Amino acid sequence: MQQVRLSAVEERVYQAVTALEVRGHVPYPDLIAQETGMTEEELSEPLHLLTERGLLHREDSPMSGLDFGPRWCARQLT
């Protein structure tokens, strides 16, 4: 298994997304920000970097006409 090194901020964001998912919450940016204690603007870079590394993926609203913004879902580390 390949280890992925994350910065402290990336680790905090990844853990927030997984914690929200475990609790059954949809990981929208506002909830991730609340979970991490960061602003939505501060999340932009770590979300992008985690997506590039394949640890998160972005999903757009699944229901047409109801756009709550993108949600970020964790990929399992294998």
Side-chain angles (χ1 to χ4, degrees):
M1 174 165 62
Q2 181 182 356
Q3 285 290 88
V4 178
R5 290 193 175 267
L6 301 177
S7 70
V9 171
E10 291 169 329
E11 179 72 26
R12 194 164 94 195
V13 170
Y14 182 79
Q15 287 179 355
V17 170
T18 56
L20 287 166
E21 290 178 329
V22 166
R23 292 195 308 259
H25 297 281
V26 179
Y28 290 116
D30 60 334
L31 289 178
I32 300 168
Q34 198 172 36
E35 186 79 12
T36 60
M38 299 168 67
T39 66
E40 288 185 53
E41 293 78 29
E42 292 171 322
L43 288 175
S44 179
E45 185 176 348
L47 287 173
H48 177 74
L49 292 171
L50 289 165
T51 301
E52 279 186 346
R53 294 176 181 201
L55 297 174
L56 296 181
H57 67 278
R58 177 187 166 140
E59 293 181 0
D60 291 317
S61 182
M63 300 171 68
S64 62
L66 290 177
D67 187 10
F68 298 111
R71 58 186 181 193
W72 299 89
C73 303
R75 296 187 190 272
Q76 296 299 317
L77 297 175
T78 57

